[in-house]
Amino acid sequence: MSTAAGTLTWSPASERTDLLAAPVAAAIAALPSARVAEIDPELADTAAFCEAYASPPQSSANCVVVAGRRGGETRHAAVLVLATDRADINGVVRRHVDARKISFAPMDEAVEVTGMEYGGITPVGLPEGWPVLVDEAVVAAGAVVIGSGVRGSKLLVDAAELAALPSAEVLALAQPTG
């Protein structure tokens, strides 16, 4: 598909749902280009993954779950940025989800509300109604590697399909990292 594929052998995700978290498997049809590859779960974190499998960081996108609060109500959202970037959580994301206070969701909470493993959380198969905020650089990257809902595999997808997810919104989310 691209250099994002690195040294892995990829299969159509729709044919290998055994490598996906249950909510991801249930929603994978929304990404017809999605391919999946099995990886060592110990190498699921982005830097280790990119090094071990020769996948460039600028072709990997990280998904984080944020929890915004306003008036006693908690709102969750997913934020997708390239591995080379950081999202402006306290600025752009906080304002976009209309929260007075926002933070990364605690690990236990993120795992519970998504049905996915920490370190494998992905924008595919999230709870209905969650905003999926996709940085414009992710879309511009073309094919990107993202989580599969579990630490033992990765998805390779056309970022335009991520931008077309029903709850996705493409925004300028990245902030300078240096």
Side-chain angles (χ1 to χ4, degrees), residues 80-148:
L80 192 67
V81 295
L82 291 177
T84 55
D85 296 334
R86 283 190 345 212
D88 182 3
I89 301 296
N90 288 312
V92 176
V93 174
R94 182 185 57 77
R95 286 189 300 274
H96 195 75
V97 299
D98 191 29
R100 182 178 279 285
K101 184 177 180 183
I102 196 163
S103 61
F104 294 106
M107 178 176 53
D108 294 349
E109 179 182 327
V111 168
E112 182 181 335
V113 297
T114 63
M116 301 177 201
E117 293 178 5
Y118 193 75
I121 293 175
T122 189
V124 184
L126 290 171
E128 193 169 325
W130 275 32
V132 176
L133 309 179
V134 181
D135 184 55
E136 59 194 10
V138 172
V139 178
V144 292
V145 175
I146 60 173
S148 65

